[in-house]
Amino acid sequence: MNSRSALLILAAIVGACAQIADALIVQNNEASTDESEETESYRPYLCSPLPAPLTPSSSVHALRPADVSAVYVLGLPPSHREEASRVVNRVAELLSMFNPEGTTQHVDQDSQQPRSLLQEAEDLSRSLSLQETEWKFVLLYVPADSLCACSPHVAADVKAAVQEVEAALKLLQKQVHHTLVHVVVWSYQEEKCECMSDNNINRRLQTATLLKTLQDSLSDVLENPKWHKEKSDFTVVLQSTPAILDHISDSDLNQLALQLWTNMIQPSTDSRAEVMDTSVTSIPCPTQERPFLRTQKNSPTDRELDSSPLTESFMGTEINCTDRSPSPLTPTSVHELRPGDVKVVAAVGDSLTAANGAGAKNDNLLLVINEYRGLSWSIGGDGNITTVTTLPNILKEFNPNLTGFSEGVGNQNTPTAFLNQAVAGAKSGDMVQQVRVLVDKMKNDSRIDFHNDWKVITVFIGGNDICDFCTDSVFFSPRNFVARIRQALDILHSEVPRAIVNLVELLEMIPLRDLHNDPSLGCPTWFVGLVCPCILKPKKGSSELEKVNDFNGAYQFGMRELIDSGRYDTHNNFTVVLQPFFREVFLPFLEDGRPDRSYFSPDCFHLSQKAHTLMARALWNNMLEPVGNKTFTQDFTVGIDLKCPSQSNPFIRTAINSNYTFPGPPPTPPPVTNWGTDFSCQHTAPSNTVPTSAHRIRPADIKVVAALGDSITAGFGAKAKNLLQLRTEYRGVSWSIGGDKQLETVTTLPNILKKFNPNIKGVSKGQGKRQTGFNVAVSGAKIAGIPGQVRHLIDLMKKDSTMDFQNDWKLVTLFIGGNDLCQYCNDRATLSPQNYSHHMMTSLDMLYEEVPRTIVNVLDILEIEGLRRIKRDSLGCNVLQQFICPCFLLPGEDSLELAEVKRINRELQIDTEKLVYGGRYDGREDFAVVVQPFFKNTVVPLNADARPDDTYFSEDCFHFSERGHADMATALWNNMLEPVGKKQTYNNFRNSRDSLKCPTEEHPFIFTRVNSLPSVTTTPAPESDGTDIPHTSPASNTHGTALPFPPDCTDYVPGWLAAVLAITGLLIGWGVTWFLLSCRAKRGNRKMNSAVEMKGTVF
């Protein structure tokens, strides 16, 4: 068959498809009158209805979401009744995806008097007495807020709460039919117990343990087979995860509703656990394989998965050191101290030194509350070195008369704790109190000769600071963290003679997240989320997680800097040595690639005895390694052999006996005189020939820069030193288009590009509008003004005799939207996301249709919420800031108004990316639009005290200063050199002079979507002899270049074949069209009803 025959056959098929497509388009257009665009936007996130069964379910264990006619709730917590009700309403909205006619009812919701759970159950059973055949879903809350975790009566209180739940369920089972009950433990993190004010109590761990106790007690009752009878129309399920409300906000309520929904449906066979991410709402859906609501029978689960290997029984260590003798005479210098000279051991710290859960067996999570101090790596003294490896047990081999170690199980106040004064849950701010208690104990204990006995004191702290730093980054700033440790060490230095202090560097915390990414490990992520929220909550790759890493590293660096100052080496009977073995920790893995849980206690957070054993060995080895050459990387899977004192240096190593020279405090940096940047890129040459593709553009190929936008791009107030200068537009330092001076003194995108092409055109200079170049930004502009700016820019370019409009490669940067958001609450209709997208599309269409050889940078709109934290004691900040951006800065912290504008902020970002990457601008080879997202998740710049750094902002605390412009320029440049899909979505505002990325030999081009992915063929740029390129619609030419026919093809096609194929194609099209229309008509009513129900969803 020749090529023309093939084309005719294809035409016939296309004719048939066209008929089908026309029919579908007509039907979709009809449906659109009843279905809003907003509902359509939800389609990718909502569940598709499953095929309905032929008959309604007769068993509660085969109950589908669509079978549920009503949702009822019992046990609403009195103190947070409204919030719990809103969560139930959201769950009902999710059920309405399957049955739009379902209802939600709260028992006794109008009563002013609190009622018992049993009374509520009686009311419910009476109200349902006539509803025998309809399926009901009951959500029964068990509030934990009325229980006090630290109360001595907590066990009895839990028992009473469980008995009340059991009584209510028995009544429901007897009197209510066709009902599925899900029981969920509810907790709002609010401290009401007086005993929780005790600083010696680990509040988070106590609360988590209470919830676990209540959860397990309910599980013991509800696992009884009486609740799960065969062919029963009633059953009870305990949701495996408590509903824990941290803050009262829409996002938190949404996440709780999704948690309840996820536990309501049968678990997916390919489900994967992941660290908590509250930034994206993803709704799990029933599947054809697992379509039912969850019951114990159709989805049996163990209480906790036990996939951790058996704990090794041998925890001892063999010591092969031959010389274990002390010094002939008691040394007078800490730098001549042998292990056998140590008479006293002591320790301060947190739950890792208290050894919480170290001896817990059989994955009993409740045992994590126990403090196994006798097993503690740095201070425990249970058994001996053949059975328990700890630092004291090692030292006992050198001096059997060692004292101070802790034994057994108990808190810091038990007699056997002795000099282990670590407190579970302690932070750096607790160190002073612990040290004072420790010093008093050493002074007053008859077993210790305070002035003459040599002491080893181990300090290990910081884990809980990192776990809580996201709640108050100022209080937990690295500077404050180090200051608190310094205060504690200063007390030891001034009051404790003959002592060597091991300051153990904070461990690297982020690897602990890996334990909660693998569901097969059975780790209680909700439990650890309570104990250490700042580690688990951030999303992988997010700015929040990057901040965790930054703080962790800053804590470690601050500790090193403190000791390297030489502050504690002022006399010979005291020193502090930094032991860095925890600096870089490699999480141990099994042979199958999963994290090895045997190194952790049942909560997958605290460490097991196996880990304590290796920590003791690592600490001992660090003590014998010279300062400046200590092991700081620890891979526990390799194992650790004990080192021994050498004959040449038998002493515990200090800075002095290691011949270590203290670097001293870092030099005071010179005052900053400019915000320039150093340049070190090597590959700066242009392409050998002028490129014809926007996807092969090197930085040096750019000949012209231009910018569109508002006051930020106009440089409004960038160099202002007072309110009078605030209105001046310093366009010469504008981040995306300014060209004042050189890169070494002024950091802007054009000044960076000048390093590749010194003859760059279009830059703006100076102040005002005298030398604006192609900076057409207008202060106060909104998105509606951008099409006018584009028209003005095109006219300027065409009239400029210094540039070749057709052949010069252009880089246009568009940044807009701040004013739209700041005024959104004053004109929601005009400033709607729909209008925003329309004006953005109009502007990009003009550039696409009229400007050849162009790359357009479209910046994600700034996440403006962070500006609420920028404060300064000045008139400009206190008055002007709120006047400039009232819709973001005036609403209350948890107000609906703020929640709305934050949602619009995110919606504008999403809509912009959909427009840019929707294929509309992919039809020309010489044109590309790229979203540069470094502003998507804005990180507020912080100073050394972790307070918002207002030096990045101008006199009004809203517009950016020259320093802020410099950092934006760097972030934009770096985004341009990152592939689409892997661009950094936040900016750390570090103002480092060496932070510029460079093009590489492997990829010397500015990244576009096309060159970030495998090769894609696009349409070449149309040629033109005039000043304008041909007008082509953005929607055209998006399917690639057609290939020519091979030269040996013949042109002969019989005429009758064409007629037959055409008629056949039409007949097929009509037939299929009639079939599809008839099928879709039958489902039309149900779909439209469902769509109407979902219009009000908050998800």
Side-chain angles (χ1 to χ4, degrees):
M1 184 181 293
N2 60 30
S3 59
R4 188 165 295 178
S5 300
L7 283 175
L8 286 172
I9 294 172
L10 180 62
I13 296 172
V14 169
C17 294
Q19 295 289 327
I20 298 169
D22 289 343
L24 295 179
I25 290 170
V26 169
Q27 190 165 1
N28 283 338
N29 287 338
E30 292 172 354
S32 67
T33 61
D34 298 313
E35 190 168 4
S36 69
E37 292 182 7
E38 181 180 8
T39 303
E40 281 299 319
S41 69
Y42 290 140
R43 290 286 185 217
Y45 309 105
L46 303 182
C47 299
S48 301
L50 298 174
L54 297 178
T55 59
S57 172
S58 59
S59 170
V60 71
H61 306 295
L63 186 65
R64 300 168 183 263
D67 296 328
V68 176
S69 63
V71 177
Y72 300 87
V73 59
L74 297 174
L76 287 171
S79 58
H80 295 92
R81 185 182 186 92
E82 180 183 353
E83 290 75 21
S85 298
R86 290 166 66 186
V87 171
V88 177
N89 291 337
R90 284 158 165 77
V91 172
E93 286 184 69
L94 292 169
L95 275 170
S96 71
M97 288 187 288
F98 305 91
N99 182 5
E101 298 178 358
T103 61
T104 307
Q105 297 186 28
H106 300 170
V107 174
D108 193 33
Q109 57 186 358
D110 297 325
S111 174
Q112 298 299 317
Q113 297 296 325
R115 311 193 68 188
S116 70
L117 186 61
L118 186 60
Q119 290 173 319
E120 289 188 24
E122 290 173 347
D123 289 345
L124 178 61
S125 63
R126 281 195 295 269
S127 67
L128 299 181
S129 59
L130 300 179
Q131 301 181 29
E132 294 288 332
T133 59
E134 294 182 340
W135 282 105
K136 284 82 65 178
F137 179 84
V138 177
L139 189 64
L140 192 155
Y141 283 117
V142 184
D145 301 337
S146 59
L147 306 176
C148 190
C150 52
S151 168
H153 310 296
V154 64
D157 294 340
V158 169
K159 183 178 180 180
V162 172
Q163 288 175 343
E164 185 180 24
V165 171
E166 185 176 16
L169 291 175
K170 284 181 179 179
L171 185 141
L172 292 176
Q173 185 183 37
K174 182 179 180 180
Q175 300 186 14
V176 178
H177 303 282
H178 281 76
T179 302
L180 171 61
V181 181
H182 270 229
V183 178
V184 59
V185 174
W186 168 276
S187 174
Y188 178 67
Q189 297 305 295
E190 194 172 41
E191 294 178 4
K192 298 181 179 179
C193 307
E194 291 184 6
C195 56
M196 281 294 195
S197 60
D198 187 349
N199 291 331
N200 293 325
I201 286 182
N202 187 341
R203 299 175 185 84
R204 292 186 183 276
L205 188 56
Q206 289 277 356
T207 301
T209 304
L210 168 63
L211 294 180
K212 178 61 177 173
T213 302
L214 183 56
Q215 189 85 12
D216 285 356
S217 299
L218 287 167
S219 181
D220 290 339
V221 170
L222 299 183
E223 283 180 355
N224 191 312
K226 68 182 181 182
W227 307 109
H228 319 292
K229 293 179 180 178
E230 291 286 338
K231 298 182 179 179
S232 173
D233 66 350
F234 181 95
T235 195
V236 182
V237 179
L238 174 65
Q239 293 217 349
S240 60
T241 307
I244 302 168
L245 184 62
D246 289 325
H247 305 92
I248 301 175
S249 67
D250 281 341
S251 62
D252 288 302
L253 296 179
N254 289 346
Q255 289 300 320
L256 275 189
L258 285 175
Q259 174 188 310
L260 298 186
W261 169 255
T262 303
N263 289 328
M264 282 170 56
I265 63 177
Q266 288 182 292
S268 173
T269 54
D270 61 349
S271 64
R272 285 184 171 86
E274 60 180 54
V275 174
M276 291 174 281
D277 170 23
T278 59
S279 63
V280 178
T281 299
S282 176
I283 302 176
C285 299
T287 64
Q288 290 188 354
E289 296 78 17
R290 303 179 71 82
F292 306 128
L293 294 176
R294 187 185 310 219
T295 69
Q296 183 64 28
K297 182 179 177 183
N298 67 32
S299 305
T301 56
D302 297 327
R303 183 181 299 182
E304 294 288 349
L305 294 174
D306 182 7
S307 56
S308 60
L310 293 175
T311 303
E312 298 176 11
S313 58
F314 178 71
M315 294 294 174
T317 298
E318 184 178 355
I319 298 181
N320 296 317
C321 303
T322 55
D323 186 2
R324 307 185 188 183
S325 59
S327 302
L329 297 174
T330 301
T332 58
S333 171
V334 70
H335 311 299
E336 298 176 354
L337 188 67
R338 299 170 185 254
D341 298 325
V342 176
K343 301 289 183 65
V344 180
V345 287
V348 292
D350 53 27
S351 56
L352 291 184
T353 300
N356 278 81
K361 307 294 183 183
N362 301 323
D363 276 355
N364 188 338
L365 185 57
L366 295 179
L367 294 180
V368 173
I369 199 71
N370 290 347
E371 299 171 9
Y372 297 88
R373 293 179 180 259
L375 304 178
S376 176
W377 58 292
S378 63
I379 188 64
D382 278 0
N384 55 58
I385 195 60
T386 63
T387 57
V388 178
T389 302
T390 65
L391 178 62
N393 281 354
I394 296 173
L395 286 170
K396 284 180 192 177
E397 296 299 304
F398 294 82
N399 178 13
N401 297 318
L402 186 77
T403 190
F405 50 81
S406 54
E407 296 178 291
V409 180
N411 63 28
Q412 71 280 2
N413 296 319
T414 56
T416 54
F418 203 4
L419 298 185
N420 181 350
Q421 287 304 300
V423 178
K427 304 180 181 73
S428 58
D430 301 310
M431 285 298 94
V432 168
Q433 175 64 20
Q434 288 189 29
V435 163
R436 291 198 183 280
V437 172
L438 176 64
V439 173
D440 288 342
K441 282 184 175 291
M442 289 193 294
K443 286 181 177 179
N444 299 318
D445 195 286
S446 60
R447 291 165 286 184
I448 300 172
D449 184 342
F450 182 72
H451 292 284
N452 296 310
D453 286 348
W454 280 102
K455 312 159 194 74
V456 170
I457 304 171
T458 301
V459 178
F460 181 51
I461 198 67
N464 292 308
D465 295 76
I466 286 291
C467 285
D468 273 2
F469 90 95
C470 60
T471 64
D472 190 339
S473 59
V474 175
F475 183 83
F476 294 109
S477 70
R479 178 177 291 186
N480 288 338
F481 171 76
V482 174
R484 295 171 188 130
I485 292 178
R486 183 176 62 243
Q487 290 173 351
L489 294 179
D490 285 353
I491 294 172
L492 293 174
H493 182 225
S494 63
E495 297 189 27
V496 182
R498 295 198 170 184
I500 181 170
V501 176
N502 290 321
L503 178 61
V504 179
E505 199 168 299
L506 174 64
L507 81 160
E508 189 179 15
M509 299 282 286
I510 288 180
L512 297 177
R513 290 166 52 94
D514 291 342
L515 287 160
H516 300 272
N517 284 327
D518 189 338
S520 68
L521 295 177
C523 287
T525 301
W526 70 265
F527 188 95
V528 180
L530 277 176
V531 176
C532 192
C534 300
I535 294 295
L536 284 196
K537 284 188 176 180
K539 179 184 176 183
K540 182 179 180 181
S542 66
S543 59
E544 290 83 4
L545 188 59
E546 177 72 13
K547 194 173 181 181
V548 174
N549 196 50
D550 289 345
F551 266 60
N552 206 147
Y555 279 14
Q556 293 175 331
F557 178 78
M559 296 169 79
R560 296 197 297 272
E561 197 172 51
L562 173 63
I563 305 307
D564 276 348
S565 68
R567 182 184 186 93
Y568 303 110
D569 279 272
T570 58
H571 47 78
N572 284 335
N573 71 349
F574 184 93
T575 192
V576 180
V577 181
L578 186 77
Q579 311 297 4
F581 68 90
F582 256 154
R583 185 181 304 167
E584 296 177 9
V585 176
F586 294 96
L587 193 68
F589 286 88
L590 300 169
E591 292 183 358
D592 61 7
R594 297 183 305 151
D596 189 345
R597 259 195 80 174
S598 67
Y599 288 89
F600 296 88
S601 66
D603 64 356
C604 296
F605 179 74
H606 292 91
L607 301 177
S608 67
Q609 186 183 355
K610 184 176 180 179
H612 277 262
T613 296
L614 297 179
M615 290 167 63
R617 295 173 186 168
L619 174 58
W620 168 260
N621 287 350
N622 257 183
M623 291 170 64
L624 297 184
E625 294 170 337
V627 175
N629 195 27
K630 291 181 181 289
T631 301
F632 60 84
T633 300
Q634 206 63 63
D635 186 352
F636 284 167
T637 57
V638 176
I640 303 173
D641 295 326
L642 279 192
K643 295 185 176 183
C644 293
S646 64
Q647 289 186 349
S648 59
N649 199 325
F651 310 123
I652 297 173
R653 303 308 292 267
T654 67
I656 302 300
N657 65 32
S658 301
N659 295 320
Y660 179 76
T661 302
F662 290 115
T668 302
V672 176
T673 58
N674 61 69
W675 300 113
T677 302
D678 298 329
F679 184 82
S680 59
C681 300
Q682 302 297 319
H683 303 287
T684 60
S687 302
N688 293 330
T689 59
V690 177
T692 58
S693 170
H695 316 297
R696 309 283 294 178
I697 298 299
R698 300 169 186 256
D701 297 328
I702 299 294
K703 300 293 181 64
V704 179
V705 290
L708 311 156
D710 53 25
S711 54
I712 300 295
T713 301
F716 186 93
K719 298 174 70 173
K721 303 301 182 185
N722 53 59
L723 290 179
L724 291 177
Q725 298 175 345
L726 183 61
R727 297 186 61 181
T728 303
E729 294 179 344
Y730 297 89
R731 293 179 180 255
V733 298
S734 173
W735 60 293
S736 63
I737 188 68
D740 279 359
K741 300 181 181 179
Q742 299 297 325
L743 178 62
E744 287 73 18
T745 53
V746 177
T747 302
T748 65
L749 179 62
N751 281 354
I752 298 172
L753 288 169
K754 285 179 188 177
K755 295 295 182 179
F756 297 85
N757 175 15
N759 299 316
I760 201 88
K761 301 181 181 66
V763 302
S764 55
K765 295 183 178 181
Q767 304 175 15
K769 296 179 172 59
R770 292 190 298 273
Q771 303 180 67
T772 57
F774 293 144
N775 182 350
V776 296
V778 178
S779 293
K782 300 183 179 72
I783 185 67
I786 296 302
Q789 290 187 27
V790 172
R791 171 53 53 206
H792 181 44
L793 174 64
I794 294 173
D795 292 343
L796 285 177
M797 286 184 170
K798 287 180 177 180
K799 294 176 182 178
D800 194 304
S801 60
T802 64
M803 67 170 287
D804 185 337
F805 182 75
Q806 290 296 326
N807 298 311
D808 283 350
W809 277 101
K810 310 159 196 73
L811 180 67
V812 180
T813 300
L814 169 58
F815 181 46
I816 196 67
N819 294 309
D820 297 77
L821 272 177
C822 285
Q823 303 298 326
Y824 171 78
C825 61
N826 298 323
D827 192 350
R828 288 175 172 81
T830 303
L831 303 177
S832 68
Q834 292 78 12
N835 285 342
Y836 185 93
S837 295
H838 170 73
H839 294 308
M840 177 68 75
M841 182 174 66
T842 301
S843 304
L844 294 178
D845 284 358
M846 293 170 66
L847 292 170
Y848 179 83
E849 293 167 0
E850 300 186 40
V851 184
R853 296 196 171 184
T854 301
I855 294 177
V856 181
N857 287 325
V858 176
L859 266 77
D860 260 328
I861 187 171
L862 173 72
E863 191 178 40
I864 296 183
E865 184 192 10
L867 293 177
R868 293 167 62 90
R869 296 181 58 194
I870 306 301
K871 303 295 180 185
R872 186 190 298 152
D873 188 16
S874 68
L875 179 64
C877 285
N878 293 333
V879 177
L880 294 181
Q881 188 192 46
Q882 296 183 2
F883 177 78
I884 295 170
C885 196
C887 297
F888 248 115
L889 300 179
L890 291 181
E893 191 60 40
D894 293 318
S895 65
L896 294 176
E897 293 81 3
L898 180 60
E900 179 190 24
V901 75
K902 286 166 64 177
R903 177 179 60 81
I904 296 297
N905 197 157
R906 185 66 71 185
E907 193 171 329
L908 296 185
Q909 293 176 336
I910 294 172
D911 290 349
T912 299
E913 293 186 13
K914 284 183 179 178
L915 172 63
V916 170
Y917 293 139
R920 186 178 183 87
Y921 306 107
D922 293 347
R924 277 177 41 200
E925 186 71 22
D926 74 332
F927 189 91
V929 186
V930 185
V931 173
Q932 309 298 359
F934 70 88
F935 262 149
K936 185 174 185 178
N937 300 299
T938 305
V939 178
V940 176
L942 303 177
N943 58 23
D945 293 320
R947 298 181 183 277
D949 191 341
D950 59 18
T951 63
Y952 285 89
F953 297 90
S954 188
E955 291 298 303
D956 57 3
C957 290
F958 181 83
H959 293 91
F960 286 98
S961 65
E962 183 180 357
R963 184 181 187 185
H965 277 268
D967 219 82
M968 290 169 63
T970 299
L972 172 59
W973 169 260
N974 289 345
N975 258 180
M976 290 168 58
L977 297 186
E978 295 166 339
V980 174
K982 296 182 179 179
K983 293 180 182 289
Q984 184 165 299
T985 60
Y986 59 90
N987 184 24
N988 279 334
F989 286 97
R990 288 174 174 166
N991 257 153
S992 172
R993 292 189 65 93
D994 58 354
S995 56
L996 289 180
K997 293 189 175 183
C998 294
T1000 63
E1001 191 172 359
E1002 296 76 20
H1003 203 292
F1005 311 121
I1006 295 171
F1007 274 98
T1008 65
R1009 187 173 68 154
V1010 172
N1011 65 30
S1012 299
L1013 301 170
S1015 299
V1016 177
T1017 305
T1018 54
T1019 305
E1023 296 180 0
S1024 174
D1025 296 329
T1027 59
D1028 293 333
I1029 66 172
H1031 183 93
T1032 56
S1033 170
S1036 64
N1037 296 330
T1038 60
H1039 300 293
T1041 305
L1043 298 176
F1045 294 123
D1048 57 349
C1049 289
T1050 64
D1051 293 335
Y1052 173 73
V1053 179
W1056 59 268
L1057 179 60
V1060 170
L1061 289 173
I1063 294 172
T1064 302
L1066 289 174
L1067 290 175
I1068 293 172
W1070 289 334
V1072 175
T1073 301
W1074 174 85
F1075 177 75
L1076 285 176
L1077 287 174
S1078 62
C1079 291
R1080 290 171 63 90
K1082 294 178 182 179
R1083 306 199 320 255
N1085 290 336
R1086 182 175 180 181
K1087 275 197 168 184
M1088 284 187 284
N1089 289 339
S1090 176
V1092 171
E1093 289 293 328
M1094 288 309 300
K1095 286 180 184 179
T1097 182
V1098 298
F1099 290 95

